[in-house]
């Protein structure tokens, strides 16, 4: 069709309210268009054009600032383009949903709570009011937010389909608000308005030690509802005086679970409150990311009896909850990922401990139902495959819950084990995408910076994570410490800082924006995060310059100015056969100095893109690279700590001079061979292992590692029953579970499936005219006995496809290039050249 399509505001799905006064606009060009010469945009309000740009000579079609004045009324927008195909028609209309939170005279209200119950046993409070409307409702909008998790009900009917609102942010600086069209919920006469309010992330248990009250000790809600009536009058409902509250009969904690019993307490006056965070309305904002929603429902694949309990298996690991129908009586639901030898749910492997006392902590994830009827615990989530039911229940269904991310990438090949691995990694990521990128959906549920650092690039192949990452990066910057340290988890509840500032974790502040730049071409994200990146690299460089590991003797050598060998670091973390050493007394210089070089190098490139001074960051990068080489790299290419991880990092981060790269790569292959072609890397470098091998010319060896079985290996997890990626390679062994069985970091291997097996690659250092797939490479690497592979990616410019098959000494490659882009095509031992928009095919003889 000769018109643009896929219109979007910022990185939001169509129709989601956008809080940017002058949003950037994106669209796909008409099919087969090679280049855009100009565009025109118009805003439509009540069927009439309220603003039009006129023809603008501009080749951009992604994240375009069209100059729409702030406040222009509109309900829809359209675009037309002039391309090499000529002038297009106007696109189909897309929603123009530009607004800002408006709470008017609403006051924050707290429930009546004279004494705060212990964590895990705190009520879900019901905040209630009534209003009388003198005529039918023509239009009505509600704004809502909370300190805690809320649900809004009007006349007993739940409003909206978003879950766990208002979401998890750095509450001290940022608080999301939701906007609802509620005209269909209101009626002439008496209306009831109720808010169910629970602890949520604000004051509920959180993290490894399950600490409560991370952002405050009181929950509260804020609501403003404005209605236009058929008689021309208006009505307003706001939180404040006159609202009542009582415990709802439920308790809820995101980690412990939810209970339901009868509501027996009397109503009391809710408390309007002010001061502190309540007075800071500048915190209120619309989300830049899609919301959390119920994504799917799963029926049981088996139901068994074990020790008097009913044990239900949903066939795969997930994040969410169980909905069921309960007869009168008491039911206890225990959720978990593993069954013990007795066939009952075993959560022992998920129990954390108190750092001070070393005492184990409960695993949580227990719901309790008293009374009959339908039970759906929407104020908690669980990471589970199995649920153990003690008591009677019917119609048991698992509800999958995660951020409503748009699927943008798919991979398939002739090996069903690799297809299953891709699915397990994708499923594991989605289970950990619950309003922020968590490490695991059961034991900690924290936004560990290192986890998203290692997986963000892989996620961008399968889902649109631009807004999701944007939201999280704002929280990371908001909670960054005054000295530049990046907190190990973001958002960061109150607590100590001794475990903040680790190399590889804090570097998420630089590496994640860079990966988003490569995938989406959002220069403004780089600009906004630039200060955070500078503070982190400044902290790391300053720590290297001002501190020296106490084990070092003699006068410092000049290169030690850039040697980062002090402070708290997790190190490579969970290398097979190695004991983790998160001890600030340990020398993790070989890892930390490598990351200093990497982040300083990326920051110099980002500074150049932004027109900022890059020379200082180039000096830091060069100094850290030299320090790493002098300390850890010998003239023969051997590395002082000869692990797979250190060899991988050295090659991936460009730490090795060109003359010694071949020797380092050969030593890495030797280590891989000695390990039986099994993985020997830890948390930070596992996702880099296969690309490094293949790019060094060892494609066959990369496939052998990918297809290896046993422990440690990816397919070894699947052989032992994994449906998501495990924290430990031997997560299930000899009938026992260890650690989290839903920890997506090692799933970053699926990048290799997209970039090397299917061959869709982004430039390593894209310029402003190349990022976001405007220029890309298709370079598949057949191997591993595969006869065919294919991948599809919905890029900011359109659909990219790569499909190949081999047979009879030949290779057939089919590639689709989106409008307005170009691809460089490379085949084994053969440079094909550039390809423009459209579908292309090649047939070549394979090298013998």
């Amino acid at each position: 069709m000769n018109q643009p399509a896929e219109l979007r505001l910022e990185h939001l799905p169509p129709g989601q309210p956008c809080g940017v006064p002058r949003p950037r606009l994106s669209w796909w060009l008409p099919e087969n268009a090679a280049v855009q010469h100009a565009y025109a945009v118009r805003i439509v309000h009540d069927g009439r054009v309220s603003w039009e740009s006129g023809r603008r000579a501009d080749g951009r079609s992604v994240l375009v600032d069209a100059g729409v004045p702030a406040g222009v009324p509109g309900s829809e927008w359209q675009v037309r383009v002039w391309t090499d195909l000529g002038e297009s028609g106007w696109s189909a209309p897309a929603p123009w949903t530009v607004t800002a939170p408006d709470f008017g005279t609403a006051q924050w209200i707290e429930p009546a709570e004279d004494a705060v119950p212990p964590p895990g046993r705190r009520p879900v409070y019901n905040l209630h009011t009534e209003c009388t409307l003198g005529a039918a409702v023509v239009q009505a909008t509600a704004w809502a937010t909370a300190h805690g998790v809320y649900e809004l009900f009007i006349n007993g009917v739940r409003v909206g389909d978003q879950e766990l609102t208002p979401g998890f942010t750095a509450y001290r600086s940022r608080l999301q608000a939701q906007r609802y069209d509620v005209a269909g919920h209101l009626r002439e006469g008496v209306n009831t308005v109720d808010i169910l309010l629970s602890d949520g992330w604000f004051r509920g248990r959180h993290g490894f030690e399950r600490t409560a009250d991370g952002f405050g000790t009181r929950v509260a809600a804020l609501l403003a509802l404005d209605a236009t009536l058929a008689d021309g009058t208006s009505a307003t409902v706001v939180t404040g005086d006159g609202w009542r509250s009582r415990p709802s009969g439920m308790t809820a904690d995101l980690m412990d679970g939810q209970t339901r019993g009868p509501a027996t307490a009397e109503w009391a006056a809710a408390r309007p409150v002010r001061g502190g965070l309540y007075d800071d309305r500048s915190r209120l904002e619309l989300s830049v990311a899609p919301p959390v929603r119920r994504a799917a429902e799963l029926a049981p694949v088996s139901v068994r009896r074990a020790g008097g309990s009913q044990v239900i298996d949903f066939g795969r690991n997930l994040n969410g909850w169980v909905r069921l129908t309960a007869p009168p009586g008491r039911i206890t639901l225990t959720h978990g990922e593993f069954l013990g030898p007795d066939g009952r749910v075993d959560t022992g492997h998920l129990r954390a401990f108190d750092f001070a006392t070393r005492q184990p902590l409960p695993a949580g994830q227990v719901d309790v139902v008293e009374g009959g009827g339908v039970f759906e615990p929407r104020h908690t989530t669980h990471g589970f495959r199995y649920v153990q039911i003690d008591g009677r229940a019917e119609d048991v269904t698992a509800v999958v819950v995660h951020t409503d991310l748009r699927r943008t990438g798919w991979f398939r090949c002739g090996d069903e084990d690799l297809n299953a691995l891709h699915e397990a990694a994708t499923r594991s990521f989605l289970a950990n995408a619950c309003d922020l990128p968590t490490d695991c959906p059961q034991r900690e549920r924290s936004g560990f910076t290192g986890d998203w650092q290692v997986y963000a690039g892989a996620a961008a192949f399968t889902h649109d994570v631009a807004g999701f990452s944007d939201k999280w990066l704002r929280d990371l910057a908001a909670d960054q410490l005054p000295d530049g340290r990046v907190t190990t988890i973001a958002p960061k509840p109150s607590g100590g800082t001794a475990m903040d500032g680790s190399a590889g974790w804090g570097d998420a502040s630089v590496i994640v924006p860079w990966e988003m730049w490569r995938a989406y071409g959002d220069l403004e994200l780089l600009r906004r995060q630039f200060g955070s990146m500078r503070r982190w690299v400044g902290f790391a460089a300053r720590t290297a310059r001002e501190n020296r590991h106490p084990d070092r003797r003699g006068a410092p050598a000049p290169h030690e100015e850039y040697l980062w060998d002090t402070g708290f670091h997790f190190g490579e973390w969970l290398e097979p056969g190695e004991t983790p050493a998160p001890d600030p007394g340990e020398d993790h210089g070989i890892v930390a100095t490598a990351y200093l070089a990497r982040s300083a190098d990326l920051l110099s490139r980002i500074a150049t893109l932004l027109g900022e001074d890059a020379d200082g960051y180039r000096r830091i990068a060069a100094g850290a690279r030299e320090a790493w080489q002098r300390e850890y790299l010998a003239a023969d290419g051997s590395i002082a700590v000869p692990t797979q991880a250190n060899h991988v990092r050295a090659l991936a981060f460009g730490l090795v001079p060109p003359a010694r790269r071949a020797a380092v790569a050969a030593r890495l292959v030797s280590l891989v061979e000695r390990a039986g072609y099994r993985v020997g890397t830890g948390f930070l470098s596992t996702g880099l292992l296969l690309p490094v091998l293949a790019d060094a010319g060892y494609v066959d060896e990369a496939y052998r590692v990918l297809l290896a079985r046993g422990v440690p290996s990816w397919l070894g997890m699947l052989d032992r029953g994994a449906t998501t990626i495990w924290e430990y390679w031997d997560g299930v062994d000899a009938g026992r579970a260890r650690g989290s069985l839903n920890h997506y970091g090692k799933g970053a291997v699926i990048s290799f499936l997209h970039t090397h097996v299917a061959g869709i690659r982004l430039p390593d250092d894209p310029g402003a005219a190349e990022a976001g797939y405007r220029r890309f490479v298709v370079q598949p690497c057949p191997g591993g006995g595969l006869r065919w592979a294919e991948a599809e990616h919905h890029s900011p410019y359109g659909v990219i496809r790569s499909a190949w098959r081999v047979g009879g000494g030949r290779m057939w490659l089919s590639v689709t290039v989106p409008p307005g882009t170009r691809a460089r095509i490379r085949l084994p031992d053969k440079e094909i050249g550039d390809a423009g928009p459209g579908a292309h095919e090649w047939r070549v003889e394979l090298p013998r």
Side-chain angles (χ1 to χ4, degrees):
M1 298 178 66
N2 186 30
Q3 62 186 48
E6 298 291 325
L7 277 61
R8 294 166 73 84
L9 303 179
E10 293 293 324
H11 296 295
L12 297 171
Q16 180 171 332
C18 177
V20 179
R22 287 181 46 174
R24 297 169 297 170
L25 316 179
S26 299
W27 56 87
W28 286 3
L29 298 184
E31 188 175 352
N32 294 323
V35 60
Q36 175 182 297
H37 301 300
Y39 71 84
V41 168
R42 68 185 184 189
I43 312 299
V44 179
H45 182 63
D46 290 339
R48 296 184 177 184
V49 175
S50 58
W51 181 85
E52 190 165 0
S53 68
R55 187 182 189 274
R56 292 188 174 173
D58 194 325
R60 296 172 301 155
S61 59
V62 173
L63 298 172
V64 178
D65 182 356
V68 183
V72 167
S75 57
E76 296 176 330
W77 70 285
Q78 294 174 283
V79 62
R80 73 190 314 168
V81 294
W82 287 260
T83 71
D84 56 299
L85 302 178
E87 181 180 352
S88 79
W90 285 103
S91 68
W96 182 263
T97 49
V98 179
T99 185
D102 182 5
F103 285 90
T105 60
Q107 297 175 270
W108 282 96
I109 57 172
E110 294 177 352
E113 187 181 56
D114 295 329
V116 179
R121 300 205 296 272
R122 293 171 178 168
V124 177
Y125 287 99
N126 187 0
L127 303 174
H128 174 85
T129 195
E130 296 180 0
C131 66
T132 301
L133 302 179
V137 175
V138 175
Q139 182 178 351
T141 298
W143 287 96
T145 190
H147 287 172
V149 163
Y150 79 87
E151 292 181 281
L152 174 62
F153 293 81
I154 296 178
N155 293 320
V157 178
R158 186 170 183 257
V159 176
D161 63 354
Q162 300 183 32
E163 304 295 344
L164 304 175
T165 49
F168 191 11
T169 52
Y171 297 120
R172 292 174 287 265
S173 304
R174 303 178 57 243
L175 177 62
Q176 296 175 152
Q178 284 72 41
R179 178 180 182 269
Y180 304 97
D181 179 352
V182 295
H185 291 267
L186 294 165
R187 62 195 178 213
E188 184 177 355
V190 177
N191 293 264
T192 61
V193 181
D194 291 271
I195 300 171
L196 289 184
L197 179 64
S198 64
D199 281 10
W201 291 281
F202 189 83
R203 74 167 188 180
R205 293 190 193 271
H206 183 266
F208 188 83
E209 292 189 285
R210 300 164 58 85
T211 305
D213 304 325
F215 295 92
T217 60
R218 296 279 179 173
V219 291
L222 185 68
L223 171 78
L225 188 159
D226 293 296
T228 301
L229 307 184
D231 62 1
T233 63
S234 61
T236 300
V237 178
V238 295
T239 45
D241 292 328
W243 281 69
R244 297 184 295 165
S245 83
R246 70 175 181 181
S248 65
M250 295 184 288
T251 69
D253 183 89
L254 285 175
M255 298 191 75
D256 283 354
Q258 187 165 332
T259 72
R260 189 190 72 185
T264 58
E266 297 294 325
W267 290 103
R271 300 169 180 170
V273 287
R274 62 182 58 191
L277 289 179
Y278 295 133
D279 290 348
D280 184 5
R281 298 285 175 103
S282 68
R283 293 184 302 141
L284 302 178
E285 58 187 55
L286 287 169
S287 180
V288 297
V292 174
R293 287 193 171 99
R294 289 167 285 181
E297 294 185 357
L298 302 179
V301 298
S302 73
V303 180
R304 310 173 195 169
R305 302 296 301 184
S309 301
Q310 191 178 42
V311 177
I312 296 180
D313 179 4
F314 291 101
R316 63 179 177 89
N317 220 345
L318 63 105
N319 178 67
W321 52 68
V322 162
R323 185 181 66 243
L324 54 79
T325 301
R330 179 184 175 92
I331 301 172
T332 301
L333 310 175
T334 304
H335 304 75
E337 305 175 308
F338 182 70
L339 298 182
D342 59 359
R344 295 166 62 84
V345 170
D346 182 354
T347 58
H349 61 108
L350 297 175
R351 295 184 67 180
F353 56 85
D354 184 288
F355 281 118
T357 66
R358 314 302 288 186
Q359 290 297 308
L361 300 169
Q365 303 209 123
V366 176
D367 297 337
V368 178
V369 190
E370 292 187 1
V374 176
F375 174 69
E376 184 173 3
R378 293 188 296 261
H379 289 249
T380 189
T381 61
H382 308 303
F384 68 102
R385 171 177 173 171
Y386 307 97
V387 60
Q388 176 182 305
I389 301 178
D390 291 293
R392 293 175 53 213
E394 301 171 352
D395 303 324
V396 183
T397 301
V399 180
V400 180
V401 178
H402 56 71
T403 296
D404 192 9
L405 298 171
R406 180 172 63 102
R407 186 77 186 251
T408 57
W410 297 262
F411 170 86
R412 290 283 297 169
C413 72
D415 188 321
E416 287 301 324
D417 286 338
L418 293 184
N419 296 333
L421 173 62
H422 188 276
E423 183 63 21
T426 302
R427 184 183 297 131
S428 195
F429 159 58
L430 289 175
N432 282 287
C434 193
D435 206 56
L436 74 161
T438 59
D439 60 328
C440 54
Q442 9 61 6
R443 188 187 61 211
E444 292 160 348
R445 309 184 190 189
S446 298
F448 275 84
T449 49
D451 294 69
W452 196 229
Q453 185 268 114
V454 302
Y455 196 85
F461 283 114
T462 62
H463 291 82
D464 182 351
V465 294
F468 181 73
S469 294
D470 185 351
K471 169 189 174 292
W472 182 76
L473 286 166
R474 294 169 191 247
D475 292 319
L476 179 149
D479 283 343
Q480 195 166 358
L481 300 177
D483 63 1
R485 273 181 296 169
V486 171
T487 57
T488 295
I489 61 173
K492 173 70 181 275
S494 60
T497 62
M499 297 177 70
D500 293 328
S502 172
W505 276 252
D507 294 279
S509 60
V510 179
I511 294 173
V512 172
W514 179 254
E515 290 299 322
M516 295 304 103
W517 162 248
R518 294 178 68 224
Y520 303 105
D522 188 350
L523 195 65
E524 289 307 307
L525 183 143
L526 294 182
R527 195 181 312 280
R528 196 196 65 238
Q529 295 298 129
F530 188 61
S532 171
M533 301 182 217
R534 292 178 58 186
R535 293 195 298 275
W536 167 253
V537 171
F539 160 76
R542 186 173 62 253
T543 303
R545 182 176 63 251
E546 296 177 356
N547 297 279
R548 191 182 192 216
H549 197 275
D551 289 350
R552 294 185 177 274
R553 300 289 185 267
H559 71 265
E560 289 188 50
E561 178 182 354
Y562 298 98
L563 186 68
W564 189 12
D565 60 355
T566 60
F568 174 84
H569 299 285
F570 289 100
E572 176 62 17
W573 195 249
L574 298 186
E575 288 175 280
E578 297 293 326
T579 301
D583 182 343
E586 290 286 328
D587 184 347
H588 288 287
I590 194 169
V591 175
T593 307
Y595 271 98
L596 175 57
R598 176 62 172 165
S599 284
D601 175 59
L602 292 182
L603 187 51
S604 73
R605 303 185 206 181
I606 292 167
T608 300
L609 285 167
L610 298 177
E612 302 282 351
D613 184 7
D615 289 344
Y617 304 116
R618 291 194 191 101
R619 284 194 297 272
I620 294 171
R625 191 161 47 245
E626 180 186 5
W628 192 93
Q629 292 170 4
R630 287 183 174 274
E631 289 288 326
Y632 308 115
L633 181 66
D636 63 355
S638 60
I639 292 178
V641 185
T643 63
Q644 286 187 27
N646 286 327
H647 286 75
V648 167
R649 194 163 21 252
L651 294 167
F653 289 3
L655 302 176
V656 181
R660 282 184 267 180
R661 285 186 66 87
V664 173
R667 290 178 183 275
L668 171 60
V669 171
S670 177
L671 290 170
V672 168
E673 289 174 344
R674 274 186 271 165
Y677 292 94
R678 294 197 180 100
V679 184
T681 49
F683 178 82
L684 291 176
S685 57
T686 290
L688 303 172
L689 173 60
L690 302 189
V692 161
L693 286 171
D695 292 344
Y698 295 99
V699 174
D700 290 341
E701 288 76 4
Y703 272 102
R704 289 190 68 175
V705 176
L706 174 64
L707 296 169
R709 310 198 95 95
V711 178
S713 71
W714 291 282
L715 299 190
M717 289 187 194
L718 300 186
D719 289 340
R720 294 175 181 225
T723 61
T724 47
I725 302 301
W726 295 344
E727 181 178 14
Y728 292 91
W729 294 106
D730 57 348
V732 174
D733 185 40
R736 300 184 64 183
R738 180 186 186 203
S740 165
L741 302 184
N742 202 342
H743 230 84
Y744 63 92
K746 294 180 176 68
V749 67
I750 67 169
S751 287
F752 181 79
L753 302 181
H754 289 264
T755 61
H756 288 71
V757 180
I760 300 173
R761 310 188 192 189
L762 285 161
D764 289 332
D765 188 9
E770 301 171 314
Y773 289 94
R774 195 166 191 181
R775 299 290 183 269
F776 60 96
V777 176
V778 177
Q779 185 180 351
C781 299
L786 294 181
R787 310 303 295 173
W788 64 272
E790 61 186 19
E792 179 175 313
H793 181 70
H794 292 196
S795 79
Y797 292 92
V799 177
I800 300 170
R801 294 187 181 91
S802 172
W804 60 262
R805 59 186 175 90
V806 295
R810 293 185 177 92
M811 177 178 180
W812 290 262
L813 175 66
S814 173
V815 174
T816 300
V817 180
T821 72
R822 294 193 69 79
R824 172 71 64 170
I825 312 299
R826 297 181 180 131
L827 292 174
D829 294 338
K830 188 175 181 66
E831 182 88 15
I832 300 295
D834 278 1
H840 309 272
E841 291 188 0
W842 295 270
R843 185 179 69 178
V844 298
E845 300 292 326
L846 288 173
R848 298 185 182 277

